[in-house]
Amino acid sequence: MISFISTAIAGVKSWLNQLQAQRLLSIALLGFLILTTNVDPGLTKQAATNKIDKMLSQDDNPDRPKTTSEWNKQAQEVKGDPGERLKRIGEQSVDAVKEFGQMYPDVAENSAKALKK
């Protein structure tokens, strides 16, 4: 019985040593990739900002708010009139659903292609 326990403990120690070696190897490879990859984070951030700005400027309805400050400004305009506020929210919701409906087929098609791969 003691030899069985000793064998089990030796097996667990061996497994843990292998696990630590794998962890060390993965950290070393990750560090190598990070240090050798030439990525300019400022350029990436600027490209993402430009893409978002382009998407926002493509909106067909300039009356629909796009940012939090625009939402707050519009809420202040109709602060005393809940009926007008509900009317605007309804109109903007319809516009948003239409916009999403136009975008959905492209997203579904790209997702289906990715799943096939």
Side-chain angles (χ1 to χ4, degrees):
M1 184 69 172
I2 293 176
S3 65
F4 175 73
I5 294 172
S6 300
T7 305
I9 291 173
V12 170
K13 282 184 179 180
S14 171
W15 182 73
L16 286 174
N17 287 337
Q18 288 177 347
L19 182 65
Q20 288 175 353
Q22 289 174 352
R23 186 178 296 160
L24 180 63
L25 180 62
S26 64
I27 290 172
L29 287 174
L30 181 64
F32 177 76
L33 286 174
I34 289 172
L35 292 174
T36 58
T37 304
N38 187 12
V39 176
D40 182 10
L43 180 63
T44 304
K45 183 178 178 181
Q46 185 62 36
T49 303
N50 290 342
K51 186 174 182 178
I52 290 170
D53 288 343
K54 183 179 175 186
M55 287 172 50
L56 288 175
S57 66
Q58 289 178 351
D59 191 9
D60 294 338
N61 190 350
D63 296 332
R64 198 168 104 212
K66 298 173 192 75
T67 63
T68 305
S69 62
E70 289 176 0
W71 278 99
N72 291 336
K73 180 181 174 189
Q74 195 176 70
Q76 289 297 323
E77 290 174 3
V78 292
K79 189 171 185 177
D81 190 6
E84 178 65 24
R85 187 169 186 184
L86 286 175
K87 179 183 170 192
R88 285 187 182 185
I89 290 172
E91 291 170 354
Q92 293 165 1
S93 297
V94 168
D95 290 341
V97 169
K98 284 181 184 178
E99 185 178 319
F100 179 76
Q102 293 170 351
M103 181 177 57
Y104 181 76
D106 295 334
V107 172
E109 183 179 330
N110 291 338
S111 298
K113 287 179 183 177
L115 285 174
K116 287 180 183 179
K117 290 181 183 178

